[in-house]
Amino acid sequence: MSQWWKDKIIYQIWPKSFNDSNGDGIGDIQGIVERLDYLKELGVDIIWLSPVYASPFVDQGYDISDYQSIHPAFGTIQDMDYLLREMERRDMYLIMDLVVNHCSDEHIWFKKACQNPLSVYGKYFYIVPKKDGIPSNVRGYFGGSVWDELPGNPDYLYYHSFHKRQPDLNWENPFLRKEIYYMIDWWLKRGVAGFRIDAIMNIKKDLPFHNYEADREDGMASIVNVVQASEGIGEFLAEMKKETFEKYDAFTVGEVFHEKESELGDFIGTDGYFSTMFDFGPELIGKADVCYEYTEVTPKDYKKTIFASQKRMESIGLLANIIENHDEMRGVSRYIPEGDLCDTSKKALAAVYFFLKGIPVIYQGQEIGMENCPFQDLSEIEDVSTINDYEVALEAGLSEEEAFRCAARYSRDNARTPMQWSDDINAGFTSGSPWFGINPDYKQINAREQLADEHSVLQFYQKMIQLRKDPDYEDIFVEGKFEPLYEDVDNVIAYYRIGEGRRVLLLSNYQRKERELVLPVKPECILLNNMDHITLDGNRIRLEGYQTVILLETN
Ligand code: GLC
Ligand code: CA
C-alpha cells in the first residue's frame, strides 16, 4: 500500500459540538460543510469524523444501531455524499470512525439475538446460558460486570466491554466478520478515504472466559487483563485489511492500547494492519484505575514520554501524535502546569508535539487553544464514563465535592463543549439552544477573533502547518530522523529532526523562567518562533518563558 498520507495533517471533528447549521442546537454534517473553507485555510488535509451513524447515543454515537445510515440529527446519507464531494473539490479526505468491537443494543442483529439466542444472530454476540454461571469476573470500562442478562431473555447473559447498551460483536464468527467487511467496503466505495478504528484491541477475547485476580473490593478484575492475555488478534486484523482497506489503498489509524511490544511492526510496519496508530503514551501519564488516584503531568514526565515513544517507533513506523481527543481533557490544561497557561505556552506545547516524527492530529478547538471547562455540578455532565468515575469515587469514601472535582477535572466532557467560533451568542456554534453548555471563556477564546490576530494561537497553528507541509523541508519534517538534545536538562524540551545534509532543532524553554543555552552549532536561520523576537548571539541563545523556536542548521 502507498503512504500517500504521510505528509498530511489530520483534524478530528466530534460532530455534535462542531457546528450547527439548522438551529436545533446539535452540530451536523451541513455545519461541517460550512466550515470546510476554515479547515482548508488552516491547512487540514484529512478529517476524521467521529460517529455520525444511527445511534441511541448512550455513548455519544459510539453505540451504532445501523452502520449504513446517518443519525437524523446529523443529516442524511445525501448530506454525507455532499460532504464527500465538497471535500474532494478542496483536495481533502474524509475518514470515518469504525466502531466494530460492539454495536448498539438497538442494532437489528442484537434485537434478533435477544428474540432467539440460538439463531444465527445469537452467534454474532457472546451469549451464554445463565444456568452455567457468570463466565468471568471482568469489570467493563464504564464500570460494573461485562456480563448482563440478555434483554427479554433472562435465561441468558451477554458480554459488553463498555456500556451495557453496547454489546460486543463476536469476531470469532466468520459470518459476522463478513458483514463488517461488507459494510467497510460499502463506505470505501462511497468515497471515504479510510477509518479511525475504535477500541480495536477489544475484538479478541481471552477464551474460554475465566476469572482473573480481583483488584478491587467489588471482587472484579479490570478488563485490561483480557486485552493483555488475548492472543491472535493479528489474524483478524490481517484479514480485515486484506478484505477491505488494501483494495482501496485506504488510510487507517488504530485506537490501539496494550499492544505487545513484539507485535508493533505487525501493526504499523511497512506492511502493517494499519497505516498508523495513536501515540497514547502522553495520555496515559499519571493515570490509574480510578480517577481519584490520577496525578498531574509534569513537563519532565511529558518530555520523557514523548521521547520514549519516538525511540520505540524509530525503525518501525509512524505514530499519529495528539495532545487531546474526544476522550481526554484539553491538552493545554493537561500538559501545561496550571498558572502557566497563556498563548505563548499553548504555542510551545503545540510546536513540541507537532514536529515530532509522525502524523500530527488536531482535535477541534485545539487550534484556538480551547481549555478545560469549569464544570460546577454533576448536572452539567453528560458523559457516561465521567458519571461512573464519580460514583466509583463516592463508593471509595470521597465526599461528593471531592468525587466531583476529580471526575470533572479528567472528564471527557471537557473536550466535548461546543466549538467556539466567535464571541456572538452561543459562541457562534448554534442560533438555537446548544445541546451542551458552552465554555464561558468563549469571549476570550474564539476562532473569529484569532483569525484577525496575527499573534493568535490559531495563526500559529497555520504557520506550523505551512512549515510542516513546505515541500522544501519534506526530508526533515516528514522523513527526518528524531534525535533528542539536552535530554537531562529540566524544563527544556529539545530535539533534532535530521534531513539530507541538514537538520532542524526544535527548542522549547518549557517553563516560566527565561533560560540561556549554548547551542552545539550556530544556527543558519530561524524557521519558527512563538514570540516576536529572539536573543541569539552566535551559538548562544536566550529563551524567554515558554519561548519555542525551530532553528535550521546546515553543514
Ligand atoms: C473508544 C472511543 C470512546 C468510546 C469507546 C467505546 O475509546 O474513543 O469515545 O466511548 O471507544 O466505543
Ligand atoms: Ca443541527
Side-chain angles (χ1 to χ4, degrees):
M1 288 168 85
S2 80
Q3 287 192 310
W4 60 267
W5 39 267
K6 75 177 167 190
D7 56 352
K8 304 279 183 273
I9 310 294
I10 305 179
Y11 186 95
Q12 180 189 357
I13 291 183
W14 198 75
K16 208 173 170 184
S17 288
F18 188 62
N19 187 36
D20 175 21
S21 71
N22 62 354
D24 67 354
I26 301 175
D28 46 56
I29 296 168
Q30 288 293 343
I32 298 172
V33 176
E34 287 176 4
R35 301 294 181 177
L36 285 180
D37 289 330
Y38 165 85
L39 295 173
K40 183 73 193 172
E41 204 175 298
L42 178 59
V44 170
D45 304 294
I46 299 178
I47 292 176
W48 150 26
L49 182 57
S50 277
V52 288
Y53 312 95
S55 164
F57 264 77
V58 170
D59 184 21
Q60 300 291 12
Y62 282 89
D63 47 321
I64 299 170
S65 54
D66 182 350
Y67 289 96
Q68 280 150 267
S69 66
I70 302 296
H71 192 293
F74 292 133
T76 61
I77 195 76
Q78 285 73 32
D79 292 327
M80 270 308 294
D81 288 340
Y82 177 57
L83 172 64
L84 283 164
R85 277 202 307 278
E86 287 298 308
M87 287 184 66
E88 198 181 346
R89 220 159 59 74
R90 292 170 176 81
D91 220 2
M92 294 167 92
Y93 305 85
L94 183 72
I95 65 170
M96 303 273 286
D97 221 302
L98 186 63
V99 189
V100 288
N101 171 66
H102 47 268
C103 59
S104 157
D105 64 343
E106 292 186 19
H107 195 292
I108 185 76
W109 298 337
F110 192 67
K111 287 195 194 156
K112 288 192 174 163
C114 292
Q115 275 159 20
N116 182 2
L118 302 175
S119 70
V120 175
Y121 292 102
K123 303 207 167 42
Y124 277 30
F125 300 90
Y126 292 101
I127 296 177
V128 297
K130 195 175 170 185
K131 63 172 173 26
D132 299 342
I134 301 180
S136 64
N137 66 341
V138 173
R139 183 190 316 106
Y141 289 102
F142 299 159
S145 170
V146 293
W147 296 100
D148 258 289
E149 272 176 15
L150 197 63
N153 227 323
D155 290 344
Y156 291 89
L157 301 172
Y158 73 101
Y159 185 98
H160 58 90
S161 300
F162 294 88
H163 194 274
K164 68 169 184 228
R165 297 194 54 193
Q166 294 171 294
D168 280 39
L169 292 163
N170 182 355
W171 274 72
E172 304 293 335
N173 179 348
F175 297 104
L176 177 271
R177 299 205 300 277
K178 251 208 163 109
E179 298 252 26
I180 305 269
Y181 304 154
Y182 171 83
M183 175 274 287
I184 296 175
D185 200 85
W186 186 84
W187 278 108
L188 288 167
K189 236 188 259 147
R190 239 186 160 88
V192 310
F195 297 92
R196 174 268 186 180
I197 305 176
D198 186 77
I200 195 63
M201 297 309 274
N202 296 100
I203 64 171
K204 187 76 192 180
K205 313 297 188 238
D206 178 23
L207 299 173
F209 293 113
H210 59 89
N211 286 348
Y212 302 83
E213 198 185 322
D215 51 31
R216 271 193 228 160
E217 277 174 12
D218 59 9
M220 288 191 265
S222 161
I223 189 164
V224 169
N225 290 292
V226 177
V227 181
Q228 282 169 338
S230 308
E231 296 284 346
I233 192 172
E235 282 160 44
F236 295 157
L237 300 180
E239 180 186 87
M240 172 160 65
K241 177 188 168 196
K242 186 166 145 278
E243 297 294 325
T244 62
F245 312 142
E246 200 167 77
K247 298 182 187 160
Y248 296 83
D249 202 12
F251 168 70
T252 52
V253 43
E255 187 196 25
V256 175
F257 283 104
H258 309 296
E259 69 283 3
K260 296 186 177 60
E261 206 59 30
S262 59
E263 288 177 359
L264 285 177
D266 301 337
F267 277 77
I268 60 164
T270 332
D271 196 24
Y273 312 133
F274 308 127
S275 313
T276 179
M277 61 194 217
F278 295 106
D279 181 11
F280 287 119
E283 300 302 328
L284 295 173
I285 301 172
K287 298 247 170 104
D289 189 36
V290 285
C291 74
Y292 53 87
E293 282 173 5
Y294 286 12
T295 55
E296 293 295 311
V297 183
T298 64
K300 198 175 179 155
D301 300 330
Y302 182 59
K303 168 164 120 174
K304 209 171 91 194
T305 309
I306 53 178
F307 285 12
S309 292
Q310 292 283 302
K311 288 177 200 163
R312 181 169 171 242
M313 288 300 165
E314 189 174 11
S315 52
I316 295 177
L318 295 171
L319 287 171
N321 296 316
I322 55 169
I323 58 167
E324 63 194 51
N325 62 29
H326 67 294
D327 290 332
E328 300 292 335
M329 64 152 100
R330 289 286 179 179
V332 294
S333 301
R334 177 167 164 79
Y335 301 113
I336 299 170
E338 232 188 320
D340 288 6
L341 202 52
C342 63
D343 282 1
T344 306
S345 59
K346 287 177 182 178
K347 292 173 194 170
L349 172 63
V352 164
Y353 103 96
F354 202 82
F355 291 97
L356 291 169
K357 186 164 183 180
I359 317 292
V361 186
I362 300 168
Y363 177 68
Q364 71 188 33
Q366 178 189 323
E367 76 279 18
I368 55 169
M370 279 179 69
E371 301 174 10
N372 271 4
C373 188
F375 297 114
Q376 300 299 325
D377 191 84
L378 197 67
S379 62
E380 294 166 39
I381 299 287
E382 285 268 336
D383 174 34
V384 279
S385 142
T386 311
I387 293 167
N388 175 61
D389 286 346
Y390 173 76
E391 284 164 0
V392 170
L394 275 188
E395 276 161 33
L398 275 74
S399 71
E400 280 181 15
E401 202 197 315
E402 288 163 337
F404 176 71
R405 218 184 310 115
C406 72
R409 162 101 187 122
Y410 298 101
S411 173
R412 311 199 285 184
D413 277 350
N414 284 300
R416 297 176 175 188
T417 62
M419 175 69 188
Q420 293 163 201
W421 294 105
S422 69
D423 60 0
D424 293 344
I425 184 160
N426 297 323
F429 160 72
T430 177
S431 58
S433 144
W435 75 274
F436 195 47
I438 313 263
N439 192 321
D441 65 14
Y442 74 95
K443 296 260 180 209
Q444 293 81 48
I445 300 177
N446 65 71
R448 190 172 63 197
E449 245 162 59
Q450 296 194 21
L451 280 170
D453 172 6
E454 58 166 332
H455 295 294
S456 63
V457 175
L458 178 58
Q459 294 213 21
F460 187 73
Y461 267 89
Q462 274 171 345
K463 284 178 206 142
M464 291 202 304
I465 294 174
Q466 273 164 23
L467 178 58
R468 148 95 202 191
K469 286 167 71 163
D470 186 335
D472 284 347
Y473 297 111
E474 198 179 323
D475 60 317
I476 295 178
F477 294 122
V478 180
E479 305 288 348
K481 244 184 88 179
F482 164 93
E483 209 178 275
L485 187 71
Y486 305 126
E487 235 183 319
D488 300 323
V489 181
D490 278 351
N491 296 103
V492 170
I493 306 185
Y495 58 82
Y496 285 114
R497 295 294 311 277
I498 302 173
E500 287 156 18
R502 58 189 190 158
R503 59 187 187 180
V504 301
L505 175 62
L506 178 134
L507 187 57
S508 179
N509 178 29
Y510 212 84
Q511 61 186 330
R512 231 177 320 169
K513 278 200 314 235
E514 62 168 39
R515 153 119 225 179
E516 211 175 279
L517 288 161
V518 179
L519 301 170
V521 216
K522 177 176 169 295
E524 169 138 338
C525 67
I526 297 166
L527 296 180
L528 188 77
N529 183 353
N530 69 343
M531 292 190 148
D532 275 340
H533 53 273
I534 182 91
T535 315
L536 182 64
D537 177 13
N539 61 347
R540 224 165 235 289
I541 191 165
R542 202 175 75 225
L543 298 170
E544 291 187 24
Y546 287 98
Q547 186 161 25
T548 302
V549 290
I550 294 186
L551 307 168
L552 180 69
E553 290 176 10
T554 36
N555 49 27

